[in-house]
Amino acid sequence: MSIVSALVLYAVIWFLVLFVVLPIRLETQGDRGEIVPGTHAGAPANLNMRKKARLVSLIAAGIWAVAAATILSGVISLESLDVFRNLRPQPDGTGG
């Protein structure tokens, strides 16, 4: 796995974890009864994004480490996922 592939994998995992963590312990303006004029009642009252970003980074790092170790160890390879045998190299060497 190249450096760019590792960074892209981490970014994808980070955003997936972010979307899971964002609604946890979310308190909306409607829940508090303090709706700011011009905003929706479902808008967050106190998002505390810095704390959530740190939490997401730690969780994503753990998931990324497991995913990267699995990819680098070869436990799961492209050949093992090729159920229909479509990804085999062609005998003439053209690859297509």
Side-chain angles (χ1 to χ4, degrees):
M1 176 181 340
S2 69
I3 298 290
V4 175
S5 298
L7 290 173
V8 169
L9 179 64
Y10 181 78
V12 169
I13 292 171
W14 193 91
F15 278 102
L16 285 172
V17 173
L18 174 69
F19 292 135
V20 170
V21 170
L22 273 178
I24 296 175
R25 294 187 186 175
L26 178 67
E27 192 173 350
T28 64
Q29 293 178 11
D31 293 340
R32 283 190 177 177
E34 304 169 358
I35 300 172
V36 176
T39 62
H40 193 274
N46 186 10
L47 188 57
N48 201 358
M49 195 62 191
R50 191 172 290 175
K51 183 178 178 182
K52 288 193 180 197
R54 270 188 263 139
L55 178 65
V56 166
S57 297
L58 288 173
I59 294 170
I63 295 171
W64 177 84
V66 170
T70 302
I71 291 169
L72 293 174
S73 70
V75 172
I76 297 175
S77 65
L78 188 60
E79 290 80 23
S80 66
L81 298 175
D82 185 19
V83 179
F84 299 110
R85 307 274 185 225
N86 292 330
L87 301 176
R88 287 183 163 177
Q90 298 299 316
D92 60 359
T94 59

